[in-house]
Amino acid sequence: MSLNWQDMLFQFLGGLGLFLFSIKYMGDGLQKSAGNRLRDMLDRYTTNPVMGVLVGILVTVLMQSSSGTTVITVGLVSAGFMTLRQAIGVIMGANVGTTITAFIIGFDIGQFAYPLLAIGAVLLFFFKKNTVQNIGQIIFGLGGLFVGLELMSSGMKPLQELSSFMNMALHISEHSILGVIFGTIVTLVVQSSSATVGILQGLYGEGLMPLQGALPILFGDNIGTTITAVLASIGASVAARRAAATHVLFNVVGTFIFLLILPQFTLYIEWLAGVFGLESKMQIAFAHGTFNVVNTMIQLPLIGVWVYIVTKVIPGEDSGIEYKPRNLDPHFIETSPAIAIGQAKEEILRMGEYSVRGLEETFEYLKTGDKKYATTTLQYEEAINSLDKKITDYLVKVSVQPLSDTDSARHHVLLENVRDIERIGDHFENIVELIDYKAMNGVQLSELSITDLSEMFTLTIETVQKAILALDTSDHGLAMDVTKKEELIDQMERTFRKKHIHRLNLGECSAHAGIVFTDIVSNLERIGDHAVNIADAILEKH
């Protein structure tokens, strides 16, 4: 009997596509139901590695993606929100959390897949309330997950009749390293360990592979899922690359340990199956869960060792953008409000430094169109917003303390400074969006327009730099210079608008290009206004 390869392949790929879509759709619904505050959860509650493991498990269960949790973690490390030690705990927890999908698959509720789809569809299409919609999304995704699995399993079933495939499965069983490599490669391609574990459950469930051959592939699936974090860390900070490297090493070492005890581990799973009457798919789920839980228990005490190793393997100073304040010690609010105000000033100066760097990156984005500059700019803007909230909260707490007239005046000025610097960040974010619009809509700025913008950008960056330096040194002369430069920026704006109208009349500039040009000029002019506000506060003190 010949096999219909086309039907088999189409059915398998269709099932895989439906499975991947459904698990993401279900994860999106879970995230929305959780209030979509997963990043905040990771930021706040990972105070130590053990808490990191627990949060990593919870977030992964909600996202239905260990890769997603790890990518967010890498981003938080890159941003300075999380230490490498905390991140390793979260990554370990993510590995445990991802096993939940395998247990869901292991339960024999596939017969309810179509009713689940129907219920989910009713909730999605006949109810407008967001809460009900989110529940509908979860139920529909769960139903789709089982339909996808059924399609994949049906597509693979005829392989039982193919002796060459059965020989290959037997060969993998005899050479466990091949199983690890196979599992790693398939997960690298599919980009989802949940999907590849689901495929493995189908293969084992259909009797296409013995348990001793399935387990090394399972270990390889865990290694393959680390590629997403590795890709996310490319071009990121040194700490982020170290976090991604730890994810790889954690799973590679775990695989090595379990390969050494593979015969015993196989007997353990067979014993579990006999005692609890586990079906084949549930046996793989228990193997997956045991691997990740035991691996975490073994390696959790070794986090300090991993930090040391990856620091040696990936050397260098971490130059990432630090979102968290360095100096805002709550102890000084009551004991010494004057020192607390000084600490707030140090953080505001760092905000100012970020505003200058953000402007410089925005200028590079305008000149080159390279998206890496846009990404960095938006990271600076996000860091400024984060510091703005923390500094403002800190200063509000200081305000309830008894302050001298001098400290009260300093306090008021710093609150104004925070607002002005935060607004500078908003304006260069606006400019990035305008440059994005220009690129997406094929808008071309004339050479004269670029020349004018370059001149205004250079002057604006210099003005903000001097304003921040004047704030740092309380230099009256620098503050006066900022005022003069801001007047030049205002004059430039008026001149460039007139030149733009002239180019428009001559047909040298399109209307769309004109909108982009004038909006960028307007944002730069407003940045100049905020710079002079900082300088005016210094001049008022003299």
Side-chain angles (χ1 to χ4, degrees):
M1 179 181 170
S2 61
L3 299 180
N4 189 329
W5 287 101
Q6 180 176 298
D7 283 357
M8 286 171 56
L9 184 63
F10 285 3
Q11 195 167 347
F12 175 78
L13 292 177
L16 177 61
L18 181 58
F19 180 92
L20 291 172
F21 167 79
S22 298
I23 200 164
K24 184 178 187 309
Y25 197 61
M26 183 170 65
D28 289 345
L30 284 163
Q31 287 181 60
K32 290 174 190 173
S33 297
N36 210 17
R37 293 183 180 177
L38 301 181
R39 178 181 170 129
D40 190 48
M41 191 188 298
L42 284 168
D43 175 27
R44 286 188 182 185
Y45 302 113
T46 53
T47 50
N48 58 62
V50 175
M51 279 297 296
V53 170
L54 297 175
V55 172
I57 292 170
L58 179 59
V59 171
T60 305
V61 168
L62 291 173
M63 289 188 70
Q64 285 295 295
S65 170
S66 60
S67 297
T69 304
T70 310
V71 167
I72 293 174
T73 304
V74 167
L76 287 169
V77 172
S78 182
F81 272 119
M82 187 183 288
T83 65
L84 179 60
R85 187 178 289 268
Q86 288 172 303
I88 294 172
V90 175
I91 288 166
M92 289 178 175
N95 278 269
V96 175
T98 196
T99 63
I100 298 299
T101 307
F103 279 102
I104 292 171
I105 294 167
F107 287 112
D108 187 22
I109 58 172
Q111 57 186 317
F112 303 112
Y114 292 105
L116 286 171
L117 285 174
I119 294 166
V122 168
L123 296 179
L124 284 167
F125 286 98
F126 295 102
F127 294 87
K128 299 302 178 188
K129 194 175 178 180
N130 287 338
T131 308
V132 179
Q133 288 261 316
N134 295 338
I135 294 170
Q137 193 169 334
I138 295 166
I139 294 172
F140 190 89
L142 186 62
L145 182 151
F146 282 105
V147 173
L149 281 169
E150 182 61 35
L151 285 170
M152 284 193 288
S153 184
S154 299
M156 293 183 293
K157 197 168 187 177
L159 291 174
Q160 290 174 324
E161 302 166 18
L162 195 65
S163 59
S164 56
F165 179 85
M166 298 305 290
N167 289 335
M168 182 188 77
L170 192 61
H171 188 61
I172 289 174
S173 303
E174 294 169 353
H175 301 83
S176 52
I177 295 296
L178 289 177
V180 173
I181 294 168
F182 179 76
T184 303
I185 292 171
V186 172
T187 308
L188 287 175
V189 173
V190 177
Q191 288 283 291
S192 170
S193 61
S194 294
T196 49
V197 171
I199 293 168
L200 185 62
Q201 284 175 298
L203 284 168
Y204 181 59
E206 295 293 342
L208 296 169
M209 186 169 287
L211 182 61
Q212 189 148 343
L215 293 178
I217 296 174
L218 181 68
F219 305 154
D221 291 342
N222 283 278
I223 296 173
T225 196
T226 64
I227 189 62
T228 311
V230 171
L231 293 172
S233 72
I234 294 172
S237 67
V238 172
R241 295 202 300 276
R242 287 170 180 164
T246 304
H247 192 202
V248 177
L249 289 170
F250 172 74
N251 284 294
V252 168
V253 168
T255 296
F256 177 74
I257 291 169
F258 273 81
L259 282 177
L260 291 177
I261 59 168
L262 181 59
Q264 293 81 3
F265 187 54
T266 306
L267 289 172
Y268 163 74
I269 298 299
E270 289 173 346
W271 174 78
L272 275 182
V275 170
F276 296 104
L278 301 179
E279 293 186 9
S280 53
K281 288 183 180 180
M282 193 58 85
Q283 290 174 33
I284 297 296
F286 268 89
H288 192 32
T290 304
F291 171 83
N292 282 293
V293 170
V294 172
N295 193 24
T296 298
M297 290 171 66
I298 291 171
Q299 296 195 53
L300 189 59
L302 304 176
I303 283 182
V305 176
W306 284 129
V307 171
Y308 176 80
I309 290 172
V310 295
T311 302
K312 291 295 181 184
V313 172
I314 304 174
E317 289 295 319
D318 190 18
S319 58
I321 301 167
E322 194 174 347
Y323 287 41
K324 280 190 172 179
R326 299 171 184 166
N327 305 293
L328 303 183
D329 189 339
H331 174 72
F332 289 118
I333 293 175
E334 291 185 8
T335 58
S336 182
I339 294 177
I341 290 170
Q343 288 201 315
K345 182 180 176 180
E346 289 301 312
E347 292 300 334
I348 291 168
L349 289 171
R350 189 150 66 93
M351 271 183 77
E353 183 186 337
Y354 284 175
S355 71
V356 173
R357 291 186 194 171
L359 270 170
E360 290 170 341
E361 294 291 317
T362 307
F363 188 24
E364 289 299 320
Y365 185 38
L366 175 69
K367 290 188 293 186
T368 64
D370 191 332
K371 286 294 287 185
K372 73 178 182 182
Y373 295 112
T375 301
T376 307
T377 300
L378 296 178
Q379 286 174 349
Y380 277 121
E381 201 276 333
E382 195 174 343
I384 288 170
N385 285 343
S386 177
L387 289 173
D388 167 45
K389 290 173 187 172
K390 296 289 194 304
I391 295 167
T392 301
D393 288 345
Y394 190 76
L395 286 172
V396 167
K397 289 174 184 174
V398 172
S399 67
V400 301
Q401 302 302 317
L403 301 174
S404 67
D405 290 343
T406 302
D407 286 340
S408 183
R410 288 171 65 208
H411 180 274
H412 174 73
V413 167
L414 290 179
L415 275 173
E416 295 293 323
N417 295 153
V418 169
R419 186 186 64 183
D420 282 308
I421 296 171
E422 192 276 331
R423 292 296 294 139
I424 289 171
D426 290 343
H427 285 299
F428 66 62
E429 181 185 26
N430 291 344
I431 295 173
V432 167
E433 289 171 357
L434 288 164
I435 300 169
D436 285 340
Y437 171 85
K438 178 177 81 71
M440 286 189 293
N441 293 277
V443 176
Q444 294 294 325
L445 293 174
S446 65
E447 288 186 17
L448 289 172
S449 297
I450 294 292
T451 302
D452 288 346
L453 288 176
S454 297
E455 186 181 348
M456 194 168 182
F457 247 112
T458 302
L459 180 60
T460 304
I461 291 169
E462 189 179 340
T463 304
V464 175
Q465 281 176 325
K466 292 209 168 186
I468 301 304
L469 186 58
L471 173 63
D472 186 18
T473 60
S474 297
D475 189 306
H476 184 274
L478 277 173
M480 286 295 296
D481 197 18
V482 170
T483 303
K484 291 173 184 174
K485 287 184 181 298
E486 195 273 335
E487 290 171 358
L488 285 175
I489 291 172
D490 287 347
Q491 186 180 334
M492 265 188 189
E493 191 218 9
R494 292 190 293 270
T495 303
F496 290 169
R497 282 183 182 276
K498 288 176 183 176
K499 287 170 71 174
H500 156 65
I501 292 168
H502 181 66
R503 286 194 295 267
L504 200 60
N505 290 334
L506 293 176
E508 296 174 357
C509 178
S510 70
H512 285 296
I515 292 169
V516 172
F517 177 83
T518 53
D519 281 358
I520 291 175
V521 166
S522 177
N523 276 284
L524 290 172
E525 188 272 333
R526 294 294 296 136
I527 289 171
D529 289 345
H530 291 294
V532 86
N533 287 345
I534 296 169
D536 283 345
I538 294 155
L539 293 173
E540 287 170 7
K541 291 195 291 184
H542 288 75

